[in-house]
Amino acid sequence: MKILFAGPSLSGTEFVPVRAGEDRVLPEYALTCRGPAKCGDITHAVDQGFRVIGLVDGRFEDVAAVWHKEILHALSAGATVYGAASMGALRAAECHPFGMIGIGEVFERYAFGGLEDDAAVAQVHAPAEFGYVAFSEAMVTIDTTLDAALAAGAITAEEHGFIRTKADAVFFKERTWRRIFDVVSPDIDQAAERLKPHIRNIKHEDAEALLDVLLERKKPVSPKESTSDFADWQFNETTQWRKLRV
């Protein structure tokens, strides 16, 4: 049994629920789709019998986020756990030494590329009933766009650094391309025209890559650095873990 937790990273696709709190079951893929995961959701999925779990998006502001311990529990129960794009990339970067499988560029940036800020994947988005449409842009999207623009010669290295600093200073709930263009336009000529052709929705790209693996259309490609460091680890049912199970 396979389950996917996703929201804004896969907005506009058939792989997100259409109503909050309800699963979207896709028999043609043998896949159950749920919205962004919160604390306890991974454990609940394991208890329900799911043994292949894809974690893309997660909740973090109004509720507790997915615990690392939940992922370790899932792995200890024999589940295969994939992570990408958003909360999934964060948890995969932290749990890949124990066997979680990270997929995509955002995961690699967190695991091996020096990216440390959890908020770099944060976005504001609509609820399930409105398709999880994102109202803001994540910093990882800004970063990949600026990198692409720099590689194409659309901006200079100095402009890259300046725009990134300005974008990062905008509160994540207010960070849109329009806001960024407004902030940098006094100093960067034709910023919008130069950057728009290079915009990359890296979270969506990585979520699609996870889907390819989850649906067995492709095999995961794991960097050699991501091999498990703790092959013989054992799950420890701590007091805090037992509280989560109550």
Side-chain angles (χ1 to χ4, degrees):
M1 295 174 63
K2 300 179 182 180
I3 188 167
L4 172 68
F5 293 93
S9 295
L10 284 171
S11 177
T13 74
E14 62 184 312
F15 298 101
V16 294
V18 295
R19 282 180 289 275
E22 294 186 12
D23 292 346
R24 187 172 191 175
V25 180
L26 303 175
E28 64 271 35
Y29 300 113
L31 179 66
T32 297
C33 302
R34 288 183 184 164
K38 64 182 184 303
C39 179
D41 284 350
I42 301 295
T43 299
H44 182 50
V46 173
D47 290 344
Q48 289 181 302
F50 291 101
R51 288 298 178 267
V52 181
I53 301 169
L55 176 60
V56 173
D57 294 304
R59 295 171 60 183
F60 64 94
E61 191 174 34
D62 58 329
V63 293
V66 170
W67 283 7
H68 308 79
K69 195 79 171 181
E70 294 182 69
I71 294 167
L72 297 181
H73 170 257
L75 294 170
S76 72
T80 300
V81 186
Y82 299 106
S86 194
M87 181 66 73
L90 284 172
R91 291 296 178 261
E94 296 151 341
C95 295
H96 72 86
F98 300 93
M100 186 175 180
I101 301 171
I103 296 170
E105 188 173 327
V106 178
F107 158 70
E108 292 190 12
R109 288 192 177 208
Y110 274 115
F112 316 115
L115 181 60
E116 297 180 350
D117 185 7
D118 288 6
V121 293
Q123 286 180 286
V124 179
H125 59 83
E129 289 79 2
F130 294 94
Y132 292 106
V133 174
F135 298 137
S136 64
E137 296 291 346
M139 271 307 300
V140 290
T141 296
I142 309 302
D143 284 338
T144 53
T145 296
L146 293 177
D147 290 348
L150 178 63
I155 58 174
T156 66
E158 183 179 2
E159 289 172 329
H160 179 292
F162 177 82
I163 297 169
R164 191 194 187 285
T165 298
K166 290 292 188 180
D168 195 35
V170 177
F171 183 47
F172 84 93
K173 292 185 177 182
E174 301 172 356
R175 188 186 296 122
T176 63
W177 280 113
R178 175 176 292 183
R179 178 68 182 277
I180 293 169
F181 295 147
D182 287 345
V183 169
V184 304
S185 60
D187 300 280
I188 306 291
D189 290 336
Q190 296 182 312
E193 291 78 2
R194 293 160 65 189
L195 289 176
K196 282 181 178 179
H198 306 285
I199 291 176
R200 285 183 62 195
N201 187 344
I202 190 61
K203 291 177 66 174
H204 181 79
E205 292 177 22
D206 285 3
E208 289 279 4
L210 183 146
L211 263 178
D212 283 341
V213 173
L214 197 65
L215 302 181
E216 300 180 4
R217 295 186 287 214
K218 293 182 180 179
K219 292 183 178 180
V221 178
S222 300
K224 61 182 179 180
E225 297 98 324
S226 68
T227 55
S228 176
D229 294 333
F230 304 104
D232 298 321
W233 66 274
Q234 292 184 336
F235 184 76
N236 182 13
E237 293 196 10
T238 60
T239 300
Q240 290 302 318
W241 169 252
R242 289 193 291 270
K243 289 181 179 178
L244 177 66
R245 300 309 304 276
V246 174

